[in-house]
Amino acid sequence: MIHFILMVNKQGQTRLATYFNFLTVEQRTAMESEIIRKCLSRASTQCSIMTVRGYKVVYRRYASLYFIVGVGVDDDENELALLEAIHCLVETLDRYYESVCELDIMFNLEKAHFIVDEMFMNGCIVETNKANILKPVVLLDKLSR
């Protein structure tokens, strides 16, 4: 089960955070800062899977954003499947924003959260088809015009 999804820029600022388990704000802040610090300090030649604070962390860098997914250490999650889910999320965001960048996420945060919520529910991957993920988002865009 996925416990959290983070999108972080190269300066270590969290741009999007989704949690599937309850953590207090203090716990989230401490955990995020430690995970982000460790991800940013790793070389590109190092493995993108590590263990931090009782979580198995899988991350991937795309341009100026790091996409970080955390699962329980004891969970039988396939790390390569999580990397594939991150890639699918990035491709979906890329299709919606037409070459996604950090500013797209910042200025349309609710849409980014909506896309993440369409892909992940209760810590599980529920949809990987980009067209199915984007249908409700595009429909909302049409209704808001």
Short mmCIF file of all heavy atoms in Angstrom, two decimals, residues 9 15 19 24-26 31-32 34 36 48 50 53 55-56 61 63 72 81 87 94 97 100 105 111 119 121 145:
data_model
loop_
_atom_site.label_atom_id
_atom_site.label_comp_id
_atom_site.label_asym_id
_atom_site.label_seq_id
_atom_site.Cartn_x
_atom_site.Cartn_y
_atom_site.Cartn_z
N ASN A 9 10.51 20.20 -5.83
CA ASN A 9 11.44 20.80 -6.79
C ASN A 9 12.89 20.59 -6.34
O ASN A 9 13.15 20.04 -5.27
CB ASN A 9 11.11 22.28 -7.02
CG ASN A 9 11.37 23.15 -5.81
OD1 ASN A 9 11.93 22.71 -4.80
ND2 ASN A 9 10.96 24.39 -5.89
N ARG A 15 5.79 20.69 -3.69
CA ARG A 15 4.79 21.32 -4.56
C ARG A 15 3.46 20.60 -4.50
O ARG A 15 2.42 21.21 -4.73
CB ARG A 15 5.30 21.36 -6.00
CG ARG A 15 6.49 22.26 -6.19
CD ARG A 15 6.15 23.65 -5.76
NE ARG A 15 7.28 24.55 -5.91
CZ ARG A 15 7.37 25.70 -5.28
NH1 ARG A 15 6.43 26.07 -4.43
NH2 ARG A 15 8.40 26.48 -5.46
N TYR A 19 -1.28 12.17 1.13
CA TYR A 19 -1.07 11.14 2.14
C TYR A 19 -2.29 10.24 2.21
O TYR A 19 -3.42 10.71 2.17
CB TYR A 19 -0.82 11.78 3.52
CG TYR A 19 0.52 12.44 3.62
CD1 TYR A 19 0.70 13.76 3.22
CD2 TYR A 19 1.61 11.75 4.10
CE1 TYR A 19 1.93 14.37 3.29
CE2 TYR A 19 2.85 12.35 4.18
CZ TYR A 19 3.01 13.66 3.78
OH TYR A 19 4.24 14.25 3.84
N THR A 24 0.38 13.62 11.73
CA THR A 24 0.22 15.01 12.16
C THR A 24 1.08 15.90 11.27
O THR A 24 1.98 15.43 10.58
CB THR A 24 0.64 15.19 13.63
OG1 THR A 24 2.04 14.91 13.73
CG2 THR A 24 -0.16 14.29 14.56
N VAL A 25 0.80 17.19 11.32
CA VAL A 25 1.55 18.14 10.50
C VAL A 25 3.03 18.10 10.87
O VAL A 25 3.91 18.16 9.99
CB VAL A 25 0.97 19.57 10.66
CG1 VAL A 25 1.82 20.58 9.94
CG2 VAL A 25 -0.46 19.62 10.18
N GLU A 26 3.32 17.98 12.14
CA GLU A 26 4.72 17.92 12.59
C GLU A 26 5.40 16.67 12.05
O GLU A 26 6.55 16.73 11.60
CB GLU A 26 4.80 17.93 14.13
CG GLU A 26 4.34 19.23 14.76
CD GLU A 26 2.83 19.32 14.92
OE1 GLU A 26 2.13 18.29 14.83
OE2 GLU A 26 2.33 20.45 15.09
N MET A 31 9.19 14.19 8.38
CA MET A 31 9.42 13.09 7.45
C MET A 31 9.75 13.62 6.06
O MET A 31 10.70 13.16 5.42
CB MET A 31 8.20 12.18 7.38
CG MET A 31 8.40 10.98 6.49
SD MET A 31 6.89 10.07 6.19
CE MET A 31 5.92 11.26 5.31
N GLU A 32 8.96 14.59 5.58
CA GLU A 32 9.20 15.15 4.25
C GLU A 32 10.59 15.75 4.16
O GLU A 32 11.31 15.52 3.18
CB GLU A 32 8.17 16.24 3.93
CG GLU A 32 6.87 15.72 3.42
CD GLU A 32 5.90 16.84 3.07
OE1 GLU A 32 6.35 17.94 2.71
OE2 GLU A 32 4.68 16.61 3.17
N GLU A 34 13.32 15.08 5.82
CA GLU A 34 14.36 14.06 5.80
C GLU A 34 14.40 13.31 4.46
O GLU A 34 15.47 13.10 3.88
CB GLU A 34 14.14 13.07 6.95
CG GLU A 34 15.25 12.05 7.06
CD GLU A 34 15.08 11.13 8.25
OE1 GLU A 34 14.32 11.45 9.18
OE2 GLU A 34 15.72 10.06 8.24
N ILE A 36 13.24 14.33 1.53
CA ILE A 36 13.65 15.25 0.47
C ILE A 36 15.15 15.47 0.51
O ILE A 36 15.83 15.44 -0.53
CB ILE A 36 12.87 16.57 0.58
CG1 ILE A 36 11.41 16.33 0.22
CG2 ILE A 36 13.49 17.64 -0.30
CD1 ILE A 36 10.48 17.48 0.59
N SER A 48 17.40 4.54 -7.14
CA SER A 48 16.34 5.46 -6.75
C SER A 48 15.33 4.81 -5.79
O SER A 48 14.19 5.21 -5.71
CB SER A 48 15.62 6.00 -7.99
OG SER A 48 15.09 4.95 -8.73
N MET A 50 15.20 3.56 -1.69
CA MET A 50 15.92 3.58 -0.42
C MET A 50 14.93 3.43 0.73
O MET A 50 13.72 3.54 0.54
CB MET A 50 16.73 4.86 -0.28
CG MET A 50 15.90 6.12 -0.29
SD MET A 50 16.94 7.56 -0.25
CE MET A 50 15.75 8.81 -0.68
N ARG A 53 13.06 6.19 7.53
CA ARG A 53 12.05 6.30 8.60
C ARG A 53 10.97 5.22 8.53
O ARG A 53 9.79 5.50 8.74
CB ARG A 53 11.38 7.66 8.53
CG ARG A 53 12.15 8.76 9.17
CD ARG A 53 11.30 9.99 9.21
NE ARG A 53 11.96 11.01 9.98
CZ ARG A 53 11.38 11.70 10.93
NH1 ARG A 53 10.13 11.48 11.24
NH2 ARG A 53 12.05 12.61 11.58
N TYR A 55 9.94 3.68 5.91
CA TYR A 55 9.27 3.67 4.61
C TYR A 55 10.26 3.25 3.54
O TYR A 55 11.44 3.60 3.59
CB TYR A 55 8.73 5.06 4.24
CG TYR A 55 7.61 5.53 5.11
CD1 TYR A 55 7.83 6.47 6.11
CD2 TYR A 55 6.31 5.04 4.94
CE1 TYR A 55 6.80 6.92 6.91
CE2 TYR A 55 5.27 5.48 5.73
CZ TYR A 55 5.52 6.42 6.72
OH TYR A 55 4.50 6.85 7.52
N LYS A 56 9.77 2.51 2.58
CA LYS A 56 10.54 2.23 1.38
C LYS A 56 10.20 3.36 0.41
O LYS A 56 9.04 3.53 0.04
CB LYS A 56 10.14 0.88 0.80
CG LYS A 56 11.13 0.29 -0.15
CD LYS A 56 10.76 -1.08 -0.68
CE LYS A 56 9.81 -1.88 0.17
NZ LYS A 56 9.42 -3.16 -0.44
N ARG A 61 13.43 11.57 -10.86
CA ARG A 61 13.54 12.99 -11.20
C ARG A 61 13.18 13.20 -12.66
O ARG A 61 13.68 12.51 -13.55
CB ARG A 61 14.96 13.48 -10.95
CG ARG A 61 15.12 14.93 -11.31
CD ARG A 61 16.52 15.41 -11.02
NE ARG A 61 16.68 16.72 -11.63
CZ ARG A 61 17.83 17.25 -11.94
NH1 ARG A 61 18.94 16.60 -11.67
NH2 ARG A 61 17.88 18.43 -12.49
N ALA A 63 13.11 16.51 -15.12
CA ALA A 63 13.45 17.93 -15.26
C ALA A 63 13.74 18.51 -13.87
O ALA A 63 14.66 18.07 -13.21
CB ALA A 63 12.36 18.68 -15.99
N GLY A 72 5.23 1.11 2.88
CA GLY A 72 5.75 0.48 4.09
C GLY A 72 6.89 -0.46 3.77
O GLY A 72 6.90 -1.11 2.72
N ALA A 81 7.25 -1.54 -10.30
CA ALA A 81 5.88 -1.14 -10.63
C ALA A 81 5.60 0.27 -10.13
O ALA A 81 4.89 1.04 -10.79
CB ALA A 81 4.88 -2.13 -10.04
N HIS A 87 6.09 7.08 -13.63
CA HIS A 87 6.23 7.45 -15.04
C HIS A 87 4.86 7.69 -15.69
O HIS A 87 4.68 8.65 -16.45
CB HIS A 87 7.00 6.37 -15.79
CG HIS A 87 7.34 6.73 -17.19
ND1 HIS A 87 8.25 7.71 -17.50
CD2 HIS A 87 6.87 6.27 -18.37
CE1 HIS A 87 8.33 7.83 -18.81
NE2 HIS A 87 7.49 6.97 -19.37
N ASP A 94 1.86 15.37 -18.20
CA ASP A 94 2.44 15.94 -19.42
C ASP A 94 1.39 16.08 -20.52
O ASP A 94 1.35 17.08 -21.24
CB ASP A 94 3.59 15.06 -19.90
CG ASP A 94 4.62 15.82 -20.69
OD1 ASP A 94 4.96 16.95 -20.27
OD2 ASP A 94 5.08 15.30 -21.71
N TYR A 97 -1.12 19.02 -19.26
CA TYR A 97 -0.55 20.37 -19.26
C TYR A 97 0.22 20.68 -20.53
O TYR A 97 0.69 21.81 -20.69
CB TYR A 97 0.40 20.54 -18.06
CG TYR A 97 -0.31 20.58 -16.73
CD1 TYR A 97 -0.12 19.57 -15.81
CD2 TYR A 97 -1.15 21.62 -16.39
CE1 TYR A 97 -0.74 19.61 -14.58
CE2 TYR A 97 -1.78 21.66 -15.16
CZ TYR A 97 -1.57 20.66 -14.27
OH TYR A 97 -2.18 20.69 -13.05
N VAL A 100 4.47 19.41 -18.95
CA VAL A 100 4.29 19.87 -17.58
C VAL A 100 5.58 20.46 -17.01
O VAL A 100 6.67 20.01 -17.34
CB VAL A 100 3.78 18.71 -16.68
CG1 VAL A 100 4.83 17.64 -16.51
CG2 VAL A 100 3.32 19.23 -15.34
N ILE A 105 2.06 22.94 -12.07
CA ILE A 105 1.60 22.31 -10.83
C ILE A 105 1.21 23.39 -9.82
O ILE A 105 0.17 23.30 -9.17
CB ILE A 105 2.71 21.40 -10.23
CG1 ILE A 105 3.19 20.38 -11.23
CG2 ILE A 105 2.25 20.78 -8.92
CD1 ILE A 105 2.33 19.19 -11.45
N LYS A 111 -6.03 20.72 -10.06
CA LYS A 111 -6.07 19.79 -11.20
C LYS A 111 -5.03 18.68 -11.02
O LYS A 111 -5.29 17.52 -11.32
CB LYS A 111 -5.82 20.52 -12.53
CG LYS A 111 -6.87 21.56 -12.86
CD LYS A 111 -8.15 20.89 -13.26
CE LYS A 111 -9.28 21.84 -13.31
NZ LYS A 111 -9.78 22.54 -14.26
N MET A 119 -5.74 8.46 -10.27
CA MET A 119 -4.82 7.33 -10.43
C MET A 119 -4.70 6.48 -9.18
O MET A 119 -4.57 5.26 -9.27
CB MET A 119 -3.42 7.84 -10.79
CG MET A 119 -3.19 8.09 -12.23
SD MET A 119 -1.45 8.41 -12.55
CE MET A 119 -0.76 6.78 -12.42
N MET A 121 -6.06 5.55 -5.16
CA MET A 121 -7.15 5.64 -4.19
C MET A 121 -6.83 4.74 -3.01
O MET A 121 -6.50 3.56 -3.19
CB MET A 121 -8.47 5.22 -4.83
CG MET A 121 -9.67 5.41 -3.93
SD MET A 121 -11.21 4.93 -4.72
CE MET A 121 -11.29 6.11 -6.05
N ARG A 145 -15.99 26.41 -18.25
CA ARG A 145 -15.89 27.49 -19.26
C ARG A 145 -17.19 28.15 -19.48
O ARG A 145 -18.22 28.07 -19.25
CB ARG A 145 -15.38 26.92 -20.57
CG ARG A 145 -13.94 26.59 -20.49
CD ARG A 145 -13.40 26.11 -21.82
NE ARG A 145 -12.07 25.55 -21.59
CZ ARG A 145 -11.51 24.68 -22.36
NH1 ARG A 145 -12.12 24.25 -23.42
NH2 ARG A 145 -10.32 24.23 -22.11
#
